[in-house]
Amino acid sequence: IVGPGPLGLLHLQVLQAAGVGPITVYGQAGDGARLQVAAALGAHVYLGDRTAIALHAAGVTDGIGFGLAVEAGGTPGAIQSTLDVVAGGGTLVSLGIIHTTEIDVLQVMRKNLTWIGVVASVRRHFADAIGLIQMGKVHPEALITHRLPLCDALAGFAALRERSAVKVMFAVS
């Protein structure tokens, strides 16, 4: 999984619930706190730039790449890193919301990839998500890294901007 934000961390849990593993979550500069959450959820984690991430993935997969690679960063860099780490004949899943970006189409063709784009807010997905939570297979509360009184809302939003928080919960009293 490239991108340790809420979307990536929830999908980490969904993949684990489906029996997929081991799972590596990749982050970039500034994602240290979010990678700690991923590690606490049982993922292997790695922090680095695009080149370092590609080298790490090659090292842990004996140069093959991952059969399934999930882009959850929502940035052009996350898309490219995910392309770098997915194996030939593998599947790349795009979850992050990103506008126009350039990709190396030749890389997609050479790897003979299956590329799946996922759109959120489909009614049946909500039902599936609620079911996973009710069964105790997904724990969204694990993503709450900051609990603050409402009067500290600005500090909570600052923590989100700085990526030191995954999710902030405000107590209204």
Side-chain angles (χ1 to χ4, degrees):
I1 297 173
V2 178
L7 195 59
L9 296 174
L10 286 170
H11 281 82
L12 164 66
Q13 293 183 60
V14 170
L15 289 169
Q16 290 169 326
V20 175
I23 300 171
T24 302
V25 177
Y26 290 103
Q28 61 182 355
D31 285 334
R34 290 172 170 206
L35 287 175
Q36 288 177 356
V37 174
L41 290 169
H44 299 282
V45 299
Y46 187 82
L47 180 84
D49 63 10
R50 177 182 169 193
T51 302
I53 288 171
L55 288 171
H56 179 268
V60 299
T61 64
D62 293 325
I64 295 169
F66 295 101
L68 172 65
V70 177
E71 178 277 316
T75 66
I79 290 280
Q80 191 56 58
S81 285
T82 310
L83 270 170
D84 292 342
V85 303
V86 68
T91 300
L92 187 153
V93 178
S94 295
L95 300 173
I97 298 173
I98 185 169
H99 295 285
T100 310
T101 189
E102 290 187 25
I103 60 166
D104 181 357
V105 175
L106 199 53
Q107 188 178 22
V108 176
M109 293 168 61
R110 283 187 186 131
K111 288 189 172 188
N112 190 30
L113 296 180
T114 299
W115 194 328
I116 300 170
V118 178
V119 177
S121 301
V122 177
R123 185 181 197 99
R124 68 181 161 80
H125 294 167
F126 284 109
D128 292 343
I130 290 167
L132 287 168
I133 293 166
Q134 288 174 333
M135 289 185 288
K137 293 185 176 189
V138 172
H139 303 277
E141 71 279 2
L143 298 152
I144 301 169
T145 54
H146 294 66
R147 295 174 191 271
L148 302 170
L150 188 57
C151 63
D152 290 337
L154 291 178
F157 288 116
L160 288 168
R161 272 193 306 278
E162 296 162 359
R163 295 194 328 252
S164 62
V166 177
K167 284 289 185 184
V168 177
M169 178 178 276
F170 297 109
V172 180
S173 54

